[in-house]
Amino acid sequence: MQRPPLYERSPLYYFVAASLLENEEYSSREVREITRRVALRKKNNPVDINDAEFKNRYRLNKESFKFLCNQLKQKTSLKASSRISLELKVLCALSFYATGSYQRLVGMAKYLGQTTVSKCVKEVTDALVTPAILNTFIKFPYARADRDVIRNKFFAKYGFPGVIGCIDGCHFHIFTPKKEVEHLYYSRKHFHSLNVQMICDSDCRILNVNAKYGGATHDAFIWENSVVNNYMQSLHRNNEQVWLLGDSGYPQRPCLMTPILDAVEGTPAYKYTAVHGRTRVAIENTFGRLKNRWRCLCKDRTLHYAPVKCAKIITACCVLHNLAIEFNIPEPEPAEIENPNLTMTISEHIFQENTTGDGLIRGRAIRSILVDKINRLHT
């Protein structure tokens, strides 16, 4: 009996069969790798290192780390998964904020994949910028008693009366955004950035942060459209004599004192401007300390994300900056890649406005009174 002819299989058949076998083998390897990492995570405790190494890696001490984890458990939706604890998620994020790189953490903790680390950073960042956490760690002095404490500290430290905060904008490098919005983020310093407005107290604690605007937006515009501006105006309408200090990039207002750039040496105006500059250095120090501790924000660590995510990371680092101050954690060794000018008192871009504006006239009148007062205080 004649045997039926054998059908020849096409090259495509063999290609598909080989691909299926390869995918099955890859899937098996991936499952084994995930299982291995899970086992290692359960076996190794990343917190089980000495205090000095912990601070070097994560920029917080163990006490503040535990406090942070408890706050996140109580006030956010951040939770442990079946494979990763909440504490390990937070450590992943802290390591990224401290270095600006996934590679160090992946290499240090052999049991974490880069995709896992990236997901942890996103979850923790989202948790840190929730209103419940922001309102716990970044608080503008809306109560009179809180303003009095800040004002007295500024006066004791610098001899400038009435100050409840120093304000400035800082440019944080970001990756080139989508073409249709790129013009909003290209700064006058010729790189893409977020122009983040911050207000600090005399201890470099951040009282307010606004990371909504791109690098093309001027400091004065951000201030004029801010919630804090409206609040400060309401204080002056109620005859409370307090103000913020800003550089010459801001408009002179009754609640915002700026330097007198044409002051002649030896005059009261010159003395006022000198004391103003020494006091306002607090905000420059704040930027320097923020970037030195959380080096993902340094100029050589461009944030490779969309602007909205970059804003969240910057704000999250501000929360952690205040946490570190609250627990008196020493500053890390200064980074060679970042050399902030901590004595800058004059803005690179001087604000120009209509000299007949009511706010400007009233602001200059109050500043003149301050000039005389500071001249008497520092004679």
Side-chain angles (χ1 to χ4, degrees), residues 167-170 195-199 208-211 219 222-224 226 228 250 287:
I167 184 172
D168 203 357
C170 185
N195 187 5
V196 182
Q197 176 184 279
M198 295 188 200
I199 301 171
N208 179 264
V209 56
N210 185 347
D219 292 347
I222 300 173
W223 163 247
E224 292 288 358
S226 67
V228 174
Y250 288 94
F287 292 144

Side-chain angles (χ1 to χ4, degrees), residues 158-309:
Y158 298 107
F160 199 115
V163 181
I164 61 169
C166 295
I167 184 172
D168 203 357
C170 185
H171 288 264
F172 293 86
H173 290 238
I174 65 171
F175 193 67
T176 305
K178 292 181 180 179
K179 189 172 182 180
E180 54 267 28
V181 296
E182 182 181 355
H183 64 285
L184 299 174
Y185 297 93
Y186 194 72
S187 72
R188 68 180 185 275
K189 299 183 179 183
H190 308 297
F191 57 83
H192 297 93
S193 69
L194 288 173
N195 187 5
V196 182
Q197 176 184 279
M198 295 188 200
I199 301 171
C200 75
D201 66 11
S202 61
D203 297 321
C204 295
R205 184 179 285 102
I206 296 170
L207 305 176
N208 179 264
V209 56
N210 185 347
K212 296 189 299 184
Y213 293 92
T217 307
H218 192 273
D219 292 347
F221 180 88
I222 300 173
W223 163 247
E224 292 288 358
N225 292 276
S226 67
V227 174
V228 174
N229 177 28
N230 293 332
Y231 181 72
M232 292 295 294
Q233 290 185 49
S234 72
L235 292 180
H236 272 265
R237 286 194 294 270
N238 291 318
N239 298 316
E240 187 173 340
Q241 298 297 299
V242 291
W243 29 75
L244 304 178
L245 299 189
D247 64 17
S248 55
Y250 288 94
Q252 173 62 41
R253 293 291 183 266
C255 59
L256 178 57
M257 296 297 127
T258 61
I260 303 172
L261 298 183
D262 58 355
V264 178
E265 188 172 356
T267 63
Y270 187 86
K271 187 177 294 182
Y272 158 88
T273 300
V275 177
H276 181 286
R278 289 198 298 270
T279 309
R280 202 191 67 81
V281 79
I283 189 64
E284 302 298 336
N285 288 337
T286 299
F287 292 144
R289 290 172 63 175
L290 175 69
K291 293 182 177 183
N292 186 49
R293 188 181 295 276
W294 308 111
R295 292 177 186 174
C296 67
L297 305 180
C298 288
K299 64 182 180 181
D300 292 343
R301 292 285 192 272
T302 300
L303 292 169
H304 288 261
Y305 306 101
V308 172
K309 186 170 182 179

Side-chain angles (χ1 to χ4, degrees), residues 14-66:
Y14 292 104
F15 174 78
V16 171
S19 297
L20 289 172
L21 289 172
E22 185 179 351
N23 287 339
E24 183 178 357
E25 184 181 351
Y26 174 79
S27 298
S28 297
R29 286 201 308 269
E30 189 175 27
V31 169
R32 288 196 300 271
E33 179 62 16
I34 291 174
T35 304
R36 184 186 71 84
R37 287 174 175 170
V38 171
L40 283 171
R41 285 198 288 267
K42 291 179 179 179
K43 181 180 178 181
N44 294 279
N45 183 3
V47 181
D48 193 20
I49 54 178
N50 65 59
D51 293 341
E53 181 61 22
F54 189 90
K55 281 188 284 189
N56 181 53
R57 289 185 185 180
Y58 306 116
R59 300 295 194 261
L60 298 178
N61 58 25
K62 293 181 181 180
E63 182 185 5
S64 60
F65 166 70
K66 291 176 183 176

Side-chain angles (χ1 to χ4, degrees), residues 348-362:
E348 297 176 12
H349 187 88
I350 299 173
F351 181 77
Q352 302 289 340
E353 68 173 330
N354 186 346
T355 57
T356 61
D358 180 62
L360 176 62
I361 293 172
R362 288 187 295 112

